[in-house]
Amino acid sequence: PASALKLVLAADGTSRGLSFNAAANKSYTVQARGTLGPGVWQRWLDVAPAPTNRVIFQAIQPTDDARFYRLLTPQQP
């Protein structure tokens, strides 16, 4: 209950992107696709495990605006 895995749209002052809190010793994959419903998700970002908790921020390019994203752990093959 004290932890939740969520991907949020964020801005750091100069760019906007996706942000999430990564837990220590966990790996993650962010996948993306242009539409919801049946179909294949494409790998967008992999995050390797690290020894400490940290915030991950990945900028989104203007061409990525019309996409849906999902966050998975552990990192997907």
Side-chain angles (χ1 to χ4, degrees):
S3 100
L5 181 59
K6 65 180 177 178
L7 188 62
V8 297
L9 183 62
D12 70 359
T14 59
S15 62
R16 60 196 172 108
L18 297 175
S19 177
F20 66 95
N21 293 322
N25 303 315
K26 300 256 185 214
S27 62
Y28 300 88
T29 294
V30 179
Q31 296 176 333
R33 60 183 293 184
T35 62
L36 292 179
V40 177
W41 287 85
Q42 302 295 319
R43 180 181 315 279
W44 186 70
L45 175 69
D46 285 325
V47 177
T52 59
N53 293 345
R54 67 227 184 265
V55 174
I56 304 297
F57 178 85
Q58 181 66 39
I60 297 175
Q61 302 303 319
T63 54
D64 293 335
D65 281 351
R67 297 174 93 186
F68 295 92
Y69 297 90
R70 71 180 181 180
L71 175 59
L72 305 162
T73 189
Q75 182 176 326
Q76 301 299 294

